[in-house]
Amino acid sequence: MKICMIGAGYVGLVSAACFSDFGWVVTCVDKDPDRLADLKAGRSPIYEPGLEALMDRNIKAGRLLFTDKLGPAVADADVVFLAVGTPMRRGDGYADLSYVFSAVEDAAPHFQDFTVVTTKSTVPVGTSREIERRLKAKRPDADVAVCSNPEFLREGSAIQDFTHPDRVLVGTDDERAREVMARLYKPLALRGSPVMFVERESAELAKYAANAFLALKISFINEIADLCENLGADVQEVASAIGRDRRIGDKFLHPGPGYGGSCFPKDVSALIRTAREAKSPVSIIEQVERVNHERKLAMAIRIEEAAGGSVRGKTIAVLGLTFKPNTDDMRDAPSLVIVPMLQERGATIRACDPQGRRQAEPLLPGLTWCENANEAAEGADILVVLTEWNEFRALDLEGIRNLMGGRTVVDLRNAFDADRARDLGFDYSGIGRGKAAPGELDAKNRAGRPGAHPVQAAK
Ligand code: NAD
Protein backbone atom coordinates (compact mmCIF):
# COMPACT_ATOMS: atom_id res chain seq x y z
CA MET A 1 0.00 0.00 0.00
CA LYS A 2 1.26 3.49 -0.79
CA ILE A 3 0.63 6.43 1.48
CA CYS A 4 1.08 10.16 0.97
CA MET A 5 1.38 12.06 4.25
CA ILE A 6 0.81 15.78 3.82
CA GLY A 7 2.49 17.53 6.75
CA ALA A 8 5.51 16.03 8.46
CA GLY A 9 5.13 17.52 11.94
CA TYR A 10 4.61 15.75 15.27
CA VAL A 11 1.66 13.74 14.02
CA GLY A 12 2.50 13.36 10.33
CA LEU A 13 6.10 12.33 10.84
CA VAL A 14 5.41 9.87 13.66
CA SER A 15 2.47 8.34 11.74
CA ALA A 16 4.55 8.12 8.57
CA ALA A 17 7.48 6.47 10.33
CA CYS A 18 5.18 3.96 12.04
CA PHE A 19 3.21 3.17 8.85
CA SER A 20 6.48 2.62 6.98
CA ASP A 21 7.55 0.26 9.75
CA PHE A 22 4.38 -1.78 9.08
CA GLY A 23 5.80 -2.28 5.58
CA TRP A 24 3.83 0.41 3.73
CA VAL A 25 5.64 2.88 1.48
CA VAL A 26 5.11 6.39 2.80
CA THR A 27 5.99 9.64 1.09
CA CYS A 28 5.90 12.66 3.39
CA VAL A 29 5.24 16.01 1.77
CA ASP A 30 6.06 19.17 3.70
CA LYS A 31 6.24 22.82 2.70
CA ASP A 32 8.77 23.90 5.30
CA PRO A 33 12.18 23.87 3.57
CA ASP A 34 14.17 23.71 6.84
CA ARG A 35 12.09 20.81 8.09
CA LEU A 36 12.48 19.04 4.77
CA ALA A 37 16.26 19.54 4.75
CA ASP A 38 16.46 17.88 8.18
CA LEU A 39 14.21 15.02 7.10
CA LYS A 40 16.13 14.38 3.90
CA ALA A 41 19.33 14.20 5.95
CA GLY A 42 17.67 11.61 8.19
CA ARG A 43 17.32 14.00 11.11
CA SER A 44 14.08 14.44 12.98
CA PRO A 45 13.16 18.13 13.17
CA ILE A 46 11.25 17.42 16.40
CA TYR A 47 12.35 15.75 19.60
CA GLU A 48 10.44 12.52 20.10
CA PRO A 49 12.06 9.54 21.84
CA GLY A 50 12.86 6.69 19.40
CA LEU A 51 11.79 8.59 16.29
CA GLU A 52 15.16 9.02 14.62
CA ALA A 53 15.98 5.31 14.94
CA LEU A 54 12.60 4.39 13.45
CA MET A 55 13.11 6.88 10.61
CA ASP A 56 16.61 5.61 9.95
CA ARG A 57 15.49 1.99 9.65
CA ASN A 58 12.71 2.76 7.22
CA ILE A 59 14.61 5.34 5.16
CA LYS A 60 17.30 2.71 4.63
CA ALA A 61 14.65 0.17 3.65
CA GLY A 62 13.34 2.61 1.02
CA ARG A 63 9.90 2.81 2.63
CA LEU A 64 10.04 6.34 4.05
CA LEU A 65 10.55 9.20 1.64
CA PHE A 66 10.45 12.99 1.93
CA THR A 67 9.63 15.54 -0.73
CA ASP A 68 8.12 18.94 -1.42
CA LYS A 69 6.55 17.65 -4.65
CA LEU A 70 2.96 16.94 -3.84
CA GLY A 71 1.79 15.88 -7.32
CA PRO A 72 3.64 12.57 -7.80
CA ALA A 73 3.11 11.56 -4.15
CA VAL A 74 -0.68 12.08 -4.43
CA ALA A 75 -0.92 10.45 -7.86
CA ASP A 76 0.81 7.33 -6.60
CA ALA A 77 -1.03 6.98 -3.27
CA ASP A 78 -3.81 4.65 -2.16
CA VAL A 79 -4.31 6.83 0.92
CA VAL A 80 -3.58 10.55 1.25
CA PHE A 81 -3.40 11.72 4.86
CA LEU A 82 -3.89 15.34 5.82
CA ALA A 83 -1.69 15.89 8.87
CA VAL A 84 -1.19 19.64 8.69
CA GLY A 85 -1.70 21.98 11.63
CA THR A 86 -5.12 23.24 12.75
CA PRO A 87 -4.07 25.96 15.21
CA MET A 88 -6.43 28.21 17.11
CA ARG A 89 -7.62 30.97 14.79
CA ARG A 90 -6.54 34.41 15.97
CA GLY A 91 -9.34 36.49 17.33
CA ASP A 92 -12.22 34.04 17.54
CA GLY A 93 -10.83 30.77 18.95
CA TYR A 94 -12.14 28.55 16.13
CA ALA A 95 -9.91 25.93 14.52
CA ASP A 96 -7.98 27.48 11.64
CA LEU A 97 -8.63 25.14 8.72
CA SER A 98 -6.70 27.16 6.14
CA TYR A 99 -3.79 24.68 6.07
CA VAL A 100 -6.17 21.75 5.59
CA PHE A 101 -8.11 23.38 2.77
CA SER A 102 -4.99 24.66 1.06
CA ALA A 103 -3.50 21.13 1.12
CA VAL A 104 -6.76 19.78 -0.34
CA GLU A 105 -6.73 22.40 -3.11
CA ASP A 106 -3.09 21.60 -3.91
CA ALA A 107 -3.73 17.85 -3.98
CA ALA A 108 -6.93 17.98 -6.06
CA PRO A 109 -5.40 18.14 -9.55
CA HIS A 110 -3.28 15.04 -8.94
CA PHE A 111 -5.68 12.24 -8.01
CA GLN A 112 -5.64 9.38 -10.48
CA ASP A 113 -7.11 6.01 -9.44
CA PHE A 114 -9.43 5.50 -6.46
CA THR A 115 -7.86 7.30 -3.49
CA VAL A 116 -8.86 7.57 0.15
CA VAL A 117 -8.32 11.08 1.52
CA THR A 118 -8.29 11.08 5.29
CA THR A 119 -7.88 13.76 7.91
CA LYS A 120 -5.43 12.94 10.68
CA SER A 121 -5.46 16.56 11.69
CA THR A 122 -7.98 17.40 14.41
CA VAL A 123 -10.82 19.09 12.56
CA PRO A 124 -14.28 20.28 13.59
CA VAL A 125 -17.39 18.31 12.82
CA GLY A 126 -18.37 18.71 9.19
CA THR A 127 -14.85 19.22 7.85
CA SER A 128 -14.72 15.87 6.02
CA ARG A 129 -17.94 16.78 4.21
CA GLU A 130 -16.54 20.21 3.37
CA ILE A 131 -13.34 18.64 2.01
CA GLU A 132 -15.46 16.33 -0.10
CA ARG A 133 -17.48 19.28 -1.39
CA ARG A 134 -14.33 21.20 -2.32
CA LEU A 135 -12.77 18.18 -4.05
CA LYS A 136 -15.94 17.53 -6.04
CA ALA A 137 -16.06 21.18 -7.09
CA LYS A 138 -12.46 21.16 -8.23
CA ARG A 139 -12.22 17.64 -9.60
CA PRO A 140 -15.69 16.29 -10.37
CA ASP A 141 -14.06 13.34 -12.17
CA ALA A 142 -11.81 12.26 -9.26
CA ASP A 143 -12.60 8.92 -7.63
CA VAL A 144 -12.00 9.82 -3.98
CA ALA A 145 -13.56 8.94 -0.62
CA VAL A 146 -13.01 11.32 2.28
CA CYS A 147 -12.57 9.77 5.75
CA SER A 148 -11.87 11.04 9.23
CA ASN A 149 -9.11 9.24 11.13
CA PRO A 150 -8.28 11.36 14.18
CA GLU A 151 -5.01 10.70 15.93
CA PHE A 152 -4.80 10.15 19.68
CA LEU A 153 -1.04 9.89 20.18
CA ARG A 154 0.69 11.91 22.89
CA GLU A 155 3.96 13.71 22.35
CA GLY A 156 6.72 12.11 24.38
CA SER A 157 5.29 8.62 23.95
CA ALA A 158 4.06 9.03 20.39
CA ILE A 159 5.53 5.87 18.88
CA GLN A 160 4.22 3.63 21.64
CA ASP A 161 0.82 5.34 21.41
CA PHE A 162 0.65 4.99 17.64
CA THR A 163 1.68 1.35 17.63
CA HIS A 164 -0.40 0.34 20.68
CA PRO A 165 -3.51 2.53 20.52
CA ASP A 166 -6.53 1.96 22.72
CA ARG A 167 -8.48 2.15 19.48
CA VAL A 168 -8.14 3.30 15.90
CA LEU A 169 -11.08 5.43 14.89
CA VAL A 170 -12.18 5.72 11.28
CA GLY A 171 -15.17 7.78 10.19
CA THR A 172 -16.43 6.77 6.77
CA ASP A 173 -19.59 5.95 4.90
CA ASP A 174 -17.78 4.48 1.90
CA GLU A 175 -17.36 0.72 1.68
CA ARG A 176 -14.21 0.85 -0.47
CA ALA A 177 -12.61 3.33 1.92
CA ARG A 178 -13.48 1.06 4.79
CA GLU A 179 -11.66 -1.84 3.13
CA VAL A 180 -8.58 0.27 2.43
CA MET A 181 -8.46 1.63 5.99
CA ALA A 182 -8.97 -1.86 7.45
CA ARG A 183 -6.01 -3.13 5.39
CA LEU A 184 -3.91 -0.14 6.36
CA TYR A 185 -4.41 -0.75 10.08
CA LYS A 186 -4.39 -4.55 9.91
CA PRO A 187 -0.96 -4.76 11.60
CA LEU A 188 -2.49 -3.04 14.66
CA ALA A 189 -5.72 -5.04 14.55
CA LEU A 190 -3.65 -8.25 14.55
CA ARG A 191 -1.97 -7.06 17.74
CA GLY A 192 -5.35 -6.56 19.38
CA SER A 193 -6.06 -2.85 18.89
CA PRO A 194 -9.71 -2.37 17.93
CA VAL A 195 -10.29 -0.57 14.65
CA MET A 196 -13.64 1.18 14.99
CA PHE A 197 -15.65 2.31 11.99
CA VAL A 198 -18.11 5.07 12.73
CA GLU A 199 -19.87 8.01 11.05
CA ARG A 200 -17.51 10.77 9.99
CA GLU A 201 -19.18 13.28 12.31
CA SER A 202 -18.78 10.89 15.23
CA ALA A 203 -15.08 10.42 14.53
CA GLU A 204 -14.53 14.16 14.27
CA LEU A 205 -16.42 14.92 17.46
CA ALA A 206 -14.89 12.00 19.39
CA LYS A 207 -11.44 13.55 19.08
CA TYR A 208 -12.60 16.86 20.54
CA ALA A 209 -14.67 15.15 23.21
CA ALA A 210 -11.65 13.03 24.25
CA ASN A 211 -9.35 16.03 24.56
CA ALA A 212 -11.97 18.11 26.37
CA PHE A 213 -12.56 15.29 28.84
CA LEU A 214 -8.84 14.93 29.55
CA ALA A 215 -8.53 18.71 29.99
CA LEU A 216 -11.44 18.54 32.40
CA LYS A 217 -9.72 15.77 34.37
CA ILE A 218 -6.59 17.92 34.70
CA SER A 219 -8.55 20.99 35.79
CA PHE A 220 -10.52 18.84 38.20
CA ILE A 221 -7.44 17.49 39.96
CA ASN A 222 -5.90 20.99 40.01
CA GLU A 223 -8.91 22.28 41.92
CA ILE A 224 -8.86 19.24 44.21
CA ALA A 225 -5.17 20.00 44.83
CA ASP A 226 -6.06 23.51 45.97
CA LEU A 227 -8.71 22.06 48.22
CA CYS A 228 -6.17 19.60 49.66
CA GLU A 229 -3.94 22.49 50.61
CA ASN A 230 -6.77 24.23 52.36
CA LEU A 231 -7.98 21.12 54.17
CA GLY A 232 -4.69 19.46 55.06
CA ALA A 233 -5.01 16.53 52.64
CA ASP A 234 -2.39 15.30 50.18
CA VAL A 235 -3.48 15.35 46.53
CA GLN A 236 -1.13 12.51 45.59
CA GLU A 237 -2.92 10.28 48.09
CA VAL A 238 -6.32 11.48 46.96
CA ALA A 239 -5.47 11.03 43.25
CA SER A 240 -4.05 7.61 43.86
CA ALA A 241 -7.14 6.57 45.83
CA ILE A 242 -9.67 7.79 43.28
CA GLY A 243 -7.53 6.68 40.34
CA ARG A 244 -7.77 3.08 41.42
CA ASP A 245 -11.47 3.23 40.84
CA ARG A 246 -11.74 1.83 37.32
CA ARG A 247 -14.69 4.10 36.61
CA ILE A 248 -12.30 7.04 37.05
CA GLY A 249 -8.86 5.72 36.03
CA ASP A 250 -5.49 6.96 37.25
CA LYS A 251 -4.38 8.88 34.14
CA PHE A 252 -4.42 12.67 33.92
CA LEU A 253 -4.80 13.05 37.65
CA HIS A 254 -1.49 14.83 38.19
CA PRO A 255 -1.89 18.37 39.46
CA GLY A 256 0.30 21.06 37.98
CA PRO A 257 0.44 24.56 36.56
CA GLY A 258 -2.45 24.02 34.11
CA TYR A 259 -2.62 22.13 30.86
CA GLY A 260 -0.90 23.43 27.74
CA GLY A 261 0.52 21.96 24.57
CA SER A 262 -0.39 21.81 20.95
CA CYS A 263 -3.81 20.20 21.42
CA PHE A 264 -5.80 20.77 24.62
CA PRO A 265 -6.02 24.58 24.61
CA LYS A 266 -6.92 24.88 20.93
CA ASP A 267 -9.21 21.85 20.89
CA VAL A 268 -11.09 22.95 24.00
CA SER A 269 -11.51 26.38 22.47
CA ALA A 270 -12.67 24.97 19.12
CA LEU A 271 -15.17 22.62 20.78
CA ILE A 272 -16.65 25.50 22.77
CA ARG A 273 -17.10 27.53 19.57
CA THR A 274 -18.56 24.59 17.64
CA ALA A 275 -21.00 23.87 20.47
CA ARG A 276 -22.11 27.50 20.76
CA GLU A 277 -22.65 27.62 17.02
CA ALA A 278 -24.74 24.44 17.23
CA LYS A 279 -26.76 26.14 20.00
CA SER A 280 -25.74 23.39 22.39
CA PRO A 281 -23.17 25.07 24.64
CA VAL A 282 -20.80 22.86 26.64
CA SER A 283 -20.82 24.98 29.78
CA ILE A 284 -18.70 22.53 31.76
CA ILE A 285 -15.94 22.80 29.14
CA GLU A 286 -16.25 26.58 29.07
CA GLN A 287 -15.55 26.49 32.78
CA VAL A 288 -12.51 24.24 32.22
CA GLU A 289 -11.05 26.78 29.81
CA ARG A 290 -11.55 29.60 32.30
CA VAL A 291 -10.18 27.61 35.24
CA ASN A 292 -7.11 26.61 33.26
CA HIS A 293 -6.38 30.19 32.21
CA GLU A 294 -6.63 31.37 35.82
CA ARG A 295 -4.46 28.48 36.95
CA LYS A 296 -1.43 29.72 35.04
CA LEU A 297 -1.76 33.22 36.48
CA ALA A 298 -2.25 31.77 39.95
CA MET A 299 0.99 29.82 39.63
CA ALA A 300 2.97 33.01 38.99
CA ILE A 301 1.31 34.59 42.02
CA ARG A 302 2.12 31.49 44.06
CA ILE A 303 5.81 31.87 43.20
CA GLU A 304 5.66 35.52 44.16
CA GLU A 305 4.05 34.70 47.49
CA ALA A 306 6.62 31.96 48.14
CA ALA A 307 9.29 34.60 47.56
CA GLY A 308 7.83 36.63 50.42
CA GLY A 309 5.38 38.73 48.42
CA SER A 310 7.60 40.06 45.65
CA VAL A 311 10.07 38.71 43.12
CA ARG A 312 11.48 42.14 42.31
CA GLY A 313 15.27 41.90 42.21
CA LYS A 314 15.15 38.15 42.83
CA THR A 315 16.81 35.52 40.69
CA ILE A 316 14.63 32.54 39.84
CA ALA A 317 15.96 29.26 38.47
CA VAL A 318 13.28 27.73 36.25
CA LEU A 319 13.62 24.03 35.49
CA GLY A 320 11.73 22.99 32.37
CA LEU A 321 9.87 25.14 29.86
CA THR A 322 8.23 22.70 27.44
CA PHE A 323 4.56 21.95 28.05
CA LYS A 324 5.49 18.48 29.25
CA PRO A 325 8.58 16.28 29.46
CA ASN A 326 10.04 14.30 26.53
CA THR A 327 9.09 16.81 23.89
CA ASP A 328 10.58 20.04 22.60
CA ASP A 329 7.11 21.43 21.90
CA MET A 330 6.47 24.86 23.42
CA ARG A 331 2.98 25.44 22.02
CA ASP A 332 0.80 26.95 24.75
CA ALA A 333 3.21 25.82 27.46
CA PRO A 334 2.34 27.25 30.91
CA SER A 335 5.89 28.68 30.97
CA LEU A 336 4.82 31.14 28.26
CA VAL A 337 2.46 32.78 30.75
CA ILE A 338 4.30 32.24 34.02
CA VAL A 339 7.84 33.27 33.02
CA PRO A 340 6.92 36.63 31.39
CA MET A 341 4.72 37.43 34.38
CA LEU A 342 7.66 36.88 36.73
CA GLN A 343 9.90 38.98 34.48
CA GLU A 344 7.34 41.78 34.41
CA ARG A 345 7.34 41.75 38.18
CA GLY A 346 11.08 42.29 38.27
CA ALA A 347 12.58 38.80 38.49
CA THR A 348 15.71 37.65 36.68
CA ILE A 349 15.21 34.20 35.18
CA ARG A 350 17.87 31.53 34.77
CA ALA A 351 16.28 28.73 32.79
CA CYS A 352 17.14 25.29 31.49
CA ASP A 353 15.28 22.63 29.54
CA PRO A 354 16.73 19.35 28.26
CA GLN A 355 15.26 19.72 24.75
CA GLY A 356 13.18 22.88 24.58
CA ARG A 357 15.73 25.66 24.22
CA ARG A 358 15.66 25.92 20.41
CA GLN A 359 11.89 26.40 20.36
CA ALA A 360 11.65 28.36 23.61
CA GLU A 361 14.40 30.91 22.96
CA PRO A 362 12.50 33.07 20.44
CA LEU A 363 9.31 32.87 22.53
CA LEU A 364 10.86 33.78 25.87
CA PRO A 365 13.28 36.68 25.45
CA GLY A 366 15.41 38.03 28.25
CA LEU A 367 16.27 34.73 29.96
CA THR A 368 19.69 33.56 30.95
CA TRP A 369 19.94 30.10 29.38
CA CYS A 370 21.75 27.44 31.33
CA GLU A 371 22.98 24.01 30.30
CA ASN A 372 21.45 22.18 33.22
CA ALA A 373 19.70 22.53 36.57
CA ASN A 374 22.92 22.98 38.53
CA GLU A 375 23.99 25.88 36.37
CA ALA A 376 20.50 27.43 36.61
CA ALA A 377 20.53 27.11 40.40
CA GLU A 378 23.81 28.99 40.82
CA GLY A 379 23.10 31.99 43.02
CA ALA A 380 19.31 31.69 42.58
CA ASP A 381 17.01 32.91 45.35
CA ILE A 382 14.16 30.67 44.25
CA LEU A 383 14.00 27.44 42.30
CA VAL A 384 10.85 26.58 40.35
CA VAL A 385 10.06 23.24 38.70
CA LEU A 386 7.80 23.93 35.71
CA THR A 387 8.22 20.70 33.73
CA GLU A 388 8.93 17.35 35.34
CA TRP A 389 11.73 15.99 33.16
CA ASN A 390 13.19 12.83 34.69
CA GLU A 391 16.59 14.43 35.09
CA PHE A 392 15.02 16.99 37.45
CA ARG A 393 13.39 14.30 39.56
CA ALA A 394 16.80 12.72 40.06
CA LEU A 395 18.60 15.94 41.04
CA ASP A 396 21.09 16.02 43.87
CA LEU A 397 19.09 18.41 46.02
CA GLU A 398 21.89 18.83 48.53
CA GLY A 399 24.16 19.99 45.72
CA ILE A 400 21.45 22.34 44.49
CA ARG A 401 21.05 23.80 47.97
CA ASN A 402 24.76 24.55 48.13
CA LEU A 403 24.65 26.33 44.78
CA MET A 404 21.61 28.46 45.49
CA GLY A 405 21.67 31.83 47.18
CA GLY A 406 18.24 31.30 48.75
CA ARG A 407 16.27 28.33 50.06
CA THR A 408 12.87 28.65 48.36
CA VAL A 409 11.67 25.83 46.11
CA VAL A 410 8.31 25.98 44.34
CA ASP A 411 7.69 22.59 42.79
CA LEU A 412 4.74 22.98 40.41
CA ARG A 413 4.93 19.31 39.36
CA ASN A 414 5.56 17.60 42.67
CA ALA A 415 8.78 16.29 41.17
CA PHE A 416 10.81 16.34 44.38
CA ASP A 417 10.46 14.38 47.59
CA ALA A 418 8.86 17.04 49.81
CA ASP A 419 10.14 15.60 53.11
CA ARG A 420 13.70 15.30 51.87
CA ALA A 421 13.60 18.83 50.46
CA ARG A 422 12.39 20.18 53.82
CA ASP A 423 14.97 18.07 55.74
CA LEU A 424 17.66 19.69 53.62
CA GLY A 425 16.47 23.06 54.81
CA PHE A 426 14.51 24.15 51.77
CA ASP A 427 11.43 26.27 52.19
CA TYR A 428 9.57 23.84 49.93
CA SER A 429 6.07 24.07 48.50
CA GLY A 430 4.55 21.60 46.10
CA ILE A 431 1.04 21.32 44.71
CA GLY A 432 -1.78 20.03 46.85
CA ARG A 433 0.45 18.74 49.58
CA GLY A 434 -1.33 20.24 52.53
CA LYS A 435 -0.21 18.13 55.43
CA ALA A 436 -1.18 20.66 58.02
CA ALA A 437 -4.44 20.47 59.91
CA PRO A 438 -7.23 22.71 58.63
CA GLY A 439 -6.53 26.31 59.42
CA GLU A 440 -2.80 25.81 60.02
CA LEU A 441 -1.69 26.13 56.47
CA ASP A 442 0.92 28.62 55.53
CA ALA A 443 -1.17 31.56 54.36
CA LYS A 444 1.37 32.58 51.77
CA ASN A 445 0.53 29.48 49.74
CA ARG A 446 -3.01 30.61 49.35
CA ALA A 447 -2.87 34.34 49.21
CA GLY A 448 -3.69 36.03 45.96
CA ARG A 449 -4.82 32.90 44.17
CA PRO A 450 -7.94 33.57 42.13
CA GLY A 451 -10.68 31.37 43.45
CA ALA A 452 -8.84 30.61 46.71
CA HIS A 453 -11.02 30.81 49.77
CA PRO A 454 -9.95 31.17 53.37
CA VAL A 455 -10.26 27.97 55.35
CA GLN A 456 -13.59 27.80 57.02
CA ALA A 457 -12.58 25.64 59.93
CA ALA A 458 -15.85 26.07 61.76
CA LYS A 459 -17.91 24.48 58.99
P1 NAD B 1 2.86 20.50 13.26
O1 NAD B 1 2.74 21.96 13.22
O2 NAD B 1 3.95 19.87 14.07
O3 NAD B 1 3.02 19.93 11.77
C1 NAD B 1 2.29 20.38 10.68
C2 NAD B 1 3.18 20.27 9.44
O4 NAD B 1 2.41 20.50 8.28
C3 NAD B 1 4.32 21.29 9.40
O5 NAD B 1 5.55 20.63 9.19
C4 NAD B 1 3.98 22.19 8.19
O6 NAD B 1 5.12 22.67 7.53
C5 NAD B 1 3.21 21.22 7.34
N1 NAD B 1 2.29 21.83 6.36
C6 NAD B 1 1.35 22.79 6.57
N2 NAD B 1 0.67 23.02 5.42
C7 NAD B 1 1.18 22.18 4.50
C8 NAD B 1 0.89 21.92 3.13
N3 NAD B 1 -0.10 22.57 2.49
N4 NAD B 1 1.59 20.99 2.48
C9 NAD B 1 2.57 20.31 3.11
N5 NAD B 1 2.89 20.50 4.41
C10 NAD B 1 2.21 21.42 5.08
O7 NAD B 1 1.45 19.96 13.72
P2 NAD B 1 1.11 18.62 14.58
O8 NAD B 1 1.39 18.83 16.01
O9 NAD B 1 1.74 17.45 13.88
O10 NAD B 1 -0.47 18.58 14.41
C11 NAD B 1 -1.07 18.25 13.19
C12 NAD B 1 -2.53 17.95 13.46
O11 NAD B 1 -2.63 16.78 14.27
C13 NAD B 1 -3.27 19.05 14.20
O12 NAD B 1 -4.59 19.13 13.72
C14 NAD B 1 -3.27 18.56 15.63
O13 NAD B 1 -4.37 19.05 16.36
C15 NAD B 1 -3.40 17.07 15.43
N6 NAD B 1 -2.87 16.29 16.56
C16 NAD B 1 -1.69 16.65 17.13
C17 NAD B 1 -1.19 15.88 18.19
C18 NAD B 1 0.11 16.26 18.85
O14 NAD B 1 0.40 15.71 19.91
N7 NAD B 1 0.90 17.15 18.29
C19 NAD B 1 -1.89 14.74 18.63
C20 NAD B 1 -3.07 14.40 18.00
C21 NAD B 1 -3.55 15.18 16.95
Side-chain angles (χ1 to χ4, degrees):
M1 185 164 322
K2 289 188 176 160
I3 298 170
C4 166
M5 185 69 67
I6 307 181
Y10 285 86
V11 161
L13 182 56
V14 169
S15 307
C18 292
F19 278 135
S20 64
D21 213 44
F22 296 170
W24 310 133
V25 177
V26 188
T27 304
C28 290
V29 185
D30 205 288
K31 280 194 158 170
D32 180 333
D34 294 338
R35 187 158 276 202
L36 214 50
D38 274 344
L39 292 167
K40 284 184 171 170
R43 286 189 303 270
S44 170
I46 55 169
Y47 176 74
E48 182 62 45
L51 183 56
E52 258 182 16
L54 193 67
M55 284 170 57
D56 186 51
R57 185 160 74 228
N58 288 288
I59 290 169
K60 285 189 177 134
R63 291 189 298 255
L64 183 57
L65 309 151
F66 302 101
T67 181
D68 58 355
K69 305 219 168 9
L70 184 66
V74 169
D76 213 22
D78 301 292
V79 186
V80 173
F81 277 102
L82 301 166
V84 298
T86 50
M88 200 188 296
R89 200 160 66 191
R90 271 170 188 263
D92 64 10
Y94 280 87
D96 177 354
L97 294 177
S98 57
Y99 298 98
V100 172
F101 292 142
S102 131
V104 168
E105 300 280 318
D106 292 349
H110 304 290
F111 293 109
Q112 289 193 350
D113 303 327
F114 173 65
T115 313
V116 176
V117 176
T118 187
T119 44
K120 258 224 174 296
S121 304
T122 303
V123 292
V125 175
T127 305
S128 299
R129 282 191 201 279
E130 176 59 17
I131 291 172
E132 193 171 72
R133 195 192 63 71
R134 287 177 182 233
L135 282 177
K136 283 216 171 98
K138 194 147 189 186
R139 273 290 304 278
D141 60 311
D143 189 10
V144 292
V146 181
C147 294
S148 163
N149 175 215
E151 182 49 56
F152 294 93
L153 63 76
R154 294 162 299 174
E155 290 175 18
S157 54
I159 293 169
Q160 171 70 14
D161 289 350
F162 190 92
T163 52
H164 298 81
D166 292 333
R167 73 325 208 169
V168 172
L169 191 59
V170 181
T172 181
D173 52 14
D174 184 287
E175 197 45 45
R176 288 181 301 165
R178 185 188 167 112
E179 274 169 31
V180 171
M181 295 303 279
R183 192 149 67 87
L184 179 71
Y185 280 110
K186 193 151 186 197
L188 296 185
L190 289 172
R191 276 191 224 154
S193 296
V195 180
M196 297 172 63
F197 288 93
V198 299
E199 293 296 327
R200 288 185 287 190
E201 286 70 16
S202 307
E204 288 166 341
L205 184 54
K207 173 63 191 176
Y208 282 102
N211 276 357
F213 189 78
L214 294 172
L216 179 144
K217 246 182 135 177
I218 293 171
S219 290
F220 172 83
I221 203 65
N222 282 341
E223 291 211 319
I224 294 294
D226 287 353
L227 192 57
C228 284
E229 289 171 15
N230 282 340
L231 297 180
D234 183 326
V235 72
Q236 318 242 95
E237 294 173 355
V238 174
S240 160
I242 63 172
R244 272 160 213 256
D245 186 327
R246 275 172 292 175
R247 294 168 301 177
I248 297 171
D250 61 358
K251 303 285 190 297
F252 286 79
L253 286 180
H254 306 288
Y259 62 76
S262 61
C263 292
F264 288 179
K266 79 173 175 63
D267 291 348
V268 161
S269 167
L271 180 62
I272 289 169
R273 270 82 201 162
T274 300
R276 280 188 199 157
E277 212 168 71
K279 305 219 172 343
S280 184
V282 282
S283 53
I284 197 166
I285 305 303
E286 298 199 12
Q287 190 71 354
V288 166
E289 188 177 56
R290 192 181 64 75
V291 164
N292 194 62
H293 172 69
E294 286 177 356
R295 179 92 191 154
K296 295 176 188 173
L297 308 180
M299 292 301 108
I301 293 167
R302 177 182 287 238
I303 294 164
E304 199 169 40
E305 294 302 325
S310 169
V311 291
R312 184 155 304 280
K314 301 262 170 67
T315 299
I316 305 179
V318 175
L319 310 191
L321 295 161
T322 50
F323 84 94
K324 68 174 187 174
N326 294 325
T327 183
D328 56 352
D329 201 339
M330 282 296 296
R331 286 177 283 185
D332 263 313
S335 62
L336 296 176
V337 174
I338 296 168
V339 168
M341 216 168 138
L342 295 171
Q343 286 173 307
E344 267 165 34
R345 290 170 186 229
T348 299
I349 308 288
R350 296 172 63 78
C352 69
D353 189 283
Q355 295 292 337
R357 178 169 177 176
R358 194 167 58 95
Q359 297 214 21
E361 214 161 358
L363 301 172
L364 289 170
L367 306 186
T368 301
W369 282 96
C370 303
E371 285 303 312
N372 51 43
N374 283 344
E375 196 185 320
E378 268 172 40
D381 302 295
I382 304 150
L383 182 133
V384 175
V385 181
L386 261 187
T387 315
E388 71 281 30
W389 286 85
N390 269 342
E391 67 181 66
F392 300 150
R393 291 183 190 281
L395 276 180
D396 166 17
L397 283 184
E398 195 168 356
I400 290 279
R401 185 197 58 195
N402 297 338
L403 289 166
M404 282 177 68
R407 288 282 174 271
T408 305
V409 170
V410 184
D411 181 357
L412 298 180
R413 301 284 188 172
N414 289 345
F416 298 155
D417 177 332
D419 291 337
R420 166 139 177 86
R422 289 193 182 110
D423 287 349
L424 285 169
F426 283 111
D427 176 9
Y428 173 91
S429 59
I431 298 277
R433 290 165 153 180
K435 284 201 166 160
E440 287 180 5
L441 247 203
D442 189 354
K444 79 183 176 190
N445 261 346
R446 295 196 306 270
R449 229 174 323 123
H453 304 290
V455 174
Q456 295 180 342
K459 290 199 175 169

